[in-house]
Amino acid sequence: MKKSLTEQIMEDFLADVFSNHFRPGEILSERMLTEAYGCSKTTMREVLAMLCQARVLRSIPRMGYEVLLVAHEEARDTMEYRRVLEVGYLRRNFHRITPEVLESLKQCNEYCCNTDHSSGIGSHWDSNAAFHLELIRAVGNPFVEWNLRFVLDVQKRACVQYLSKRYDAVNAAKSMVNHNAILEAIAAGDVDAACKALEDDLSVFIK
């Protein structure tokens, strides 16, 4: 499905936030953003309203829009939410993971492992997120997938803000080791082991 102009601008703006083009605490004006993204004021106001609702920006009357920092508490809370969401749905819908879904997960994991993450934490996060989205897709519930995407975007901002200076591509690759354990457990039909491996994978970030 083709993205609307509002969705595309929203995506482009978030990409600029993830790349630190716009930094936490920076004040942005509606006029500057309208010119930067080449859209009408009406479209930009729709985008800004959604970004404020998603707590990416905060509207400051007569000043503009402040780029918000993701609080440590919010980052921890979103990960706890992910643990309940992902592990819960995996356990409840384990029977939905067909051989075709498992093969798709294996390909996704192979891409994660073979991707060059030296360009920064954003690349690492995107490939890791792709695996988790592929796994949640097995439940066949678009609303659940949408919720996970939203939470992943919040967490990506947190990672860029807090971990970019400490990012190590070699250690980042090691953080995906639990993906193999998840896949092995799924292949063996062991729901308890799959859920445990998924929980271990998420616990890496909870800390």
Side-chain angles (χ1 to χ4, degrees):
M1 182 183 296
K2 186 177 180 180
K3 296 175 184 175
S4 68
L5 179 58
T6 300
E7 291 172 328
Q8 186 59 58
I9 293 174
M10 177 99 160
E11 187 175 291
D12 291 345
F13 181 87
L14 287 173
D16 286 335
V17 172
F18 295 147
S19 66
N20 274 332
H21 178 69
F22 296 132
R23 296 178 177 276
E26 187 172 352
I27 305 298
L28 310 174
S29 71
E30 178 187 297
R31 179 179 178 181
M32 180 270 282
L33 291 172
T34 300
E35 293 175 354
Y37 294 102
C39 64
S40 67
K41 290 183 179 179
T42 300
T43 299
M44 182 51 65
R45 284 171 184 166
E46 290 179 10
V47 174
L48 291 170
M50 289 190 293
L51 290 168
C52 287
Q53 186 175 18
R55 296 166 67 182
V56 176
L57 297 176
R58 177 171 69 98
S59 176
I60 303 177
R62 296 184 296 280
M63 287 187 65
Y65 295 83
E66 179 186 8
V67 181
L68 294 179
L69 180 73
V70 178
H72 284 283
E73 293 79 7
E74 184 177 4
R76 286 196 299 269
D77 288 347
T78 55
M79 186 53 78
E80 183 61 27
Y81 173 72
R82 272 188 67 189
R83 183 161 61 177
V84 173
L85 181 73
E86 293 188 56
V87 177
Y89 268 90
L90 176 60
R91 181 174 295 281
R92 183 174 179 179
N93 296 278
F94 192 76
H95 64 283
R96 290 177 177 265
I97 304 180
T98 63
E100 291 76 20
V101 171
L102 179 58
E103 183 58 33
S104 181
L105 284 166
K106 288 179 178 178
Q107 292 176 6
C108 189
N109 185 50
E110 186 175 344
Y111 171 77
C112 290
C113 295
N114 294 333
T115 298
D116 179 9
H117 300 301
S118 59
S119 59
I121 196 168
S123 170
H124 165 73
W125 184 266
D126 287 343
S127 59
N128 181 62
F131 177 85
H132 287 271
L133 286 167
E134 189 67 28
L135 184 59
I136 207 73
R137 243 176 240 122
V139 308
N141 187 328
F143 183 72
V144 174
E145 183 182 343
W146 180 87
N147 271 276
L148 181 57
R149 283 185 182 277
F150 177 84
V151 173
L152 286 168
D153 278 348
V154 174
Q155 293 183 325
K156 183 177 179 181
R157 286 166 49 217
C159 283
V160 169
Q161 291 167 2
Y162 294 119
L163 303 180
S164 290
K165 292 181 180 179
R166 295 187 282 124
Y167 178 71
D168 183 301
V170 175
N171 288 330
K174 293 179 181 177
S175 71
M176 296 186 186
V177 68
N178 289 304
H179 290 185
N180 291 326
I182 294 169
L183 295 174
E184 289 171 5
I186 291 174
D190 190 336
V191 61
D192 290 331
C195 290
K196 175 64 167 56
L198 178 55
E199 193 155 352
D200 289 344
D201 186 48
L202 296 174
S203 294
V204 172
F205 291 94
I206 291 174
K207 296 173 184 177

